[in-house]
Amino acid sequence: CCMADELLRICREYRHETCGHCVFGHEGSYQMATILEDVCHKRGKSGDLELLQDLAPMMEEQSLCEVGRVLAKTVRQTCALFGDEIAAHYARKVCPAGACDAYKTFHILVSKCTGCGDCLDACEDGAIMGKANFVHVIDQRKCTQCGRCLDACGEGAVVKAGAKKPKTPPRPIPVRRKK
């Protein structure tokens, strides 16, 4: 599993459990959840990990309730152990565990595409390039990861990929007919 995503889940749960009597517990937990939300949804920035690492000890020391202190300690320890994995989200734009949906991409497999155009018709964003009898290609810059192409393809040629991406051509190529 992805440690950034797991830490986000923990922060969301604990955020609603803090007593709300201190700024560090209540606001700190909100800030931690917001930072991790950005990291897990492709909006993370360099410095997010350092911000968490700066906030956690202060929150651990200043929180009035045990919940705020436990959350801060959890975040501090997770950042120390899995900081590289968390940083990969915003530094390399990849979820190393392949768990965060925002980092998954759709691809059309050359070996399965028949060039029928069903995926092309389903894509409302104009992210798929190709024409009849050509292997279609998804432009990752235009793709919004809606999944309509995946649902439309009856051949199973459209796949969702995480950290490991399949090899696909840069532009549409003619379909090879099986003899």
Side-chain angles (χ1 to χ4, degrees):
C1 66
C2 173
M3 292 312 294
D5 191 48
E6 283 300 309
L7 198 54
L8 172 59
R9 184 189 59 74
I10 291 167
C11 284
R12 284 177 176 160
E13 286 179 20
Y14 273 65
R15 190 176 85 198
H16 300 294
E17 299 296 324
T18 61
C19 68
H21 287 95
C22 68
V23 171
F24 284 97
H26 186 68
E27 280 298 313
S29 62
Y30 173 78
Q31 290 301 322
M32 286 178 169
T34 301
I35 292 166
L36 288 163
E37 181 91 27
D38 286 348
V39 167
C40 291
H41 290 94
K42 254 187 179 171
R43 297 184 304 263
K45 300 177 284 301
S46 64
D48 281 348
L49 182 62
E50 291 78 16
L51 194 55
L52 286 171
Q53 290 171 329
D54 288 345
L55 181 58
M58 187 65 69
M59 188 175 152
E60 191 174 356
E61 184 181 301
Q62 299 292 325
S63 289
L64 296 177
C65 66
E66 187 64 26
V67 173
R69 289 191 293 271
V70 169
L71 175 59
K73 185 175 182 179
T74 302
V75 170
R76 183 175 51 78
Q77 290 175 341
T78 304
C79 288
L81 293 171
F82 300 100
D84 292 342
E85 184 180 324
I86 294 169
H89 284 74
Y90 57 81
R92 295 191 341 247
K93 300 293 184 207
V94 65
C95 174
C100 295
D101 284 337
Y103 294 92
K104 292 184 179 176
T105 53
F106 291 90
H107 302 272
I108 299 173
L109 301 176
V110 174
S111 61
K112 292 188 176 183
C113 182
T114 61
C116 67
D118 290 345
C119 62
L120 190 65
D121 296 336
C123 183
E124 295 177 6
D125 302 312
I128 300 178
M129 301 177 289
K131 58 185 178 182
N133 298 317
F134 273 73
V135 173
H136 298 34
V137 177
I138 298 175
D139 182 345
Q140 299 301 325
R141 292 169 295 185
K142 291 181 180 179
C143 181
T144 60
Q145 287 90 18
C146 67
R148 287 188 295 267
C149 58
L150 184 68
D151 297 334
C153 183
E155 304 297 323
V158 179
V159 295
K160 192 174 190 179
K164 189 175 180 182
K165 313 290 186 207
K167 188 174 180 177
T168 58
R171 60 187 175 279
I173 59 173
V175 171
R176 289 187 189 178
R177 300 288 175 202
K178 294 177 182 155
K179 293 179 182 180

